[in-house]
Amino acid sequence: MRILIIEDEEALRELLEYEFSRQDVTVVALDNANDALMAVEDCPPDLILLDLMLPGLKGLQFLDILRRGGSDLPVVIISARNAETDIINALERGADDYVTKPFSFNFLEAKIKAVLRRGGEVKTGARIAAGGVSVDLEAHKSFAEGELLSLTQKEFELLTLFMRKPGRAFTRNQLLNIIWGYDTSLVSRTVDVHVASLRKKLGDKGRYIQTVPKIGYLWEV
Ligand code: CA
């Protein structure tokens, strides 16, 4: 699972990153909402944690832009503003839930799980399919020629990313950033290992993952 955190308070951002990393959640943490707009466009997360008082674009402005663009990505507000009017306003503008600061990680986690459960009920049939390969995003399952694939979490995320952006070449560093959530060229071999394993599991469909010399990989059916 991928969570995008938009929070300008460094200590809280780092704490959340740390706690989520222990839960096998991939975190992208940003200190402003302007960068977040691009991050969402580039690779939509499963859920967004959004602070309200931010430098530059404010949390609610970000939320407005997101919803106007037709995105129904789950958004949970994390804010020190605890007035009832603030909470109601955020919910009416399209936030899925609102957690006031300070909060415990366990409380936040329970809220996130509840939001994701709700989302799962309404968004049935979120499915990507091409060339005999399909990914069921809700059931978190993938198939090749109708056969269930047994992919690891990272392989599943790789496949989903590739299939969402057919024909787009990803560099190893981009894949590391998006799937693993960090940036270091030292471990770009990690990407190669996972791609090789994913290709193997896809059988003859593995050929859809093409190597782009000196760049990385792309998916094309
Ligand atoms: Ca803030």
Side-chain angles (χ1 to χ4, degrees):
M1 184 173 61
R2 295 179 70 250
I3 292 184
L4 173 64
I5 300 172
I6 310 166
E7 168 62 70
D8 62 326
E9 196 184 314
E10 191 178 0
L12 178 57
R13 208 170 56 236
E14 285 178 355
L15 177 72
L16 291 174
E17 274 187 284
Y18 170 73
E19 292 286 356
F20 282 119
S21 68
R22 296 169 61 199
Q23 314 273 331
D24 202 26
V25 171
T26 302
V27 168
V28 177
L30 300 171
D31 62 3
N32 71 86
N34 299 75
D35 287 347
L37 283 176
M38 278 185 285
V40 168
E41 172 85 0
D42 222 32
C43 181
D46 298 301
L47 183 132
I48 298 173
L49 287 180
L50 177 65
D51 183 24
L52 292 184
M53 289 177 280
L54 292 164
L57 194 66
K58 304 296 171 216
L60 287 179
Q61 293 174 315
F62 170 86
L63 184 61
D64 285 341
I65 294 170
L66 197 70
R67 294 301 185 233
R68 271 206 310 269
S71 169
D72 59 355
L73 275 175
V75 174
V76 175
I77 304 291
I78 44 173
S79 177
R81 289 169 177 257
N82 58 5
E84 193 183 68
T85 48
D86 286 320
I87 298 172
I88 291 170
N89 185 26
L91 294 173
E92 283 180 349
R93 283 164 79 164
D96 293 276
D97 211 333
Y98 196 112
V99 176
T100 55
K101 296 174 186 171
F103 51 79
S104 76
F105 185 73
N106 286 343
F107 183 76
L108 178 67
E109 201 185 14
K111 286 283 196 184
I112 288 173
K113 280 183 180 157
V115 165
L116 290 174
R117 265 200 310 275
R118 290 206 297 271
E121 281 159 22
V122 275
K123 280 191 293 169
T124 48
R127 208 177 169 88
I128 313 169
V133 179
S134 65
V135 169
D136 184 328
L137 299 169
E138 299 307 330
H140 216 77
K141 286 180 176 153
S142 50
F143 304 86
E145 297 294 359
E147 295 272 322
L148 180 66
L149 297 168
S150 91
L151 302 185
T152 65
Q153 173 67 19
K154 295 300 183 199
E155 288 164 358
F156 183 85
E157 288 179 23
L158 264 177
L159 179 62
T160 304
L161 178 64
F162 282 139
M163 292 187 72
R164 272 188 166 137
K165 307 267 180 185
R168 172 173 161 179
F170 290 95
T171 67
R172 289 176 177 80
N173 268 334
Q174 278 172 333
L175 293 172
L176 272 176
N177 266 320
I178 295 168
I179 309 282
W180 282 267
Y182 53 86
D183 177 16
T184 162
S185 51
L186 290 175
V187 287
S188 64
R189 172 102 186 105
T190 305
V191 175
D192 297 333
V193 170
H194 281 79
V195 166
S197 171
L198 175 59
R199 266 187 184 141
K200 201 169 162 194
K201 290 181 182 178
L202 285 166
D204 72 328
K205 310 290 182 198
R207 67 181 188 277
Y208 298 152
I209 304 174
Q210 299 173 16
T211 303
V212 186
K214 291 185 184 154
I215 303 217
Y217 299 98
L218 68 76
W219 170 273
E220 199 154 53
V221 170

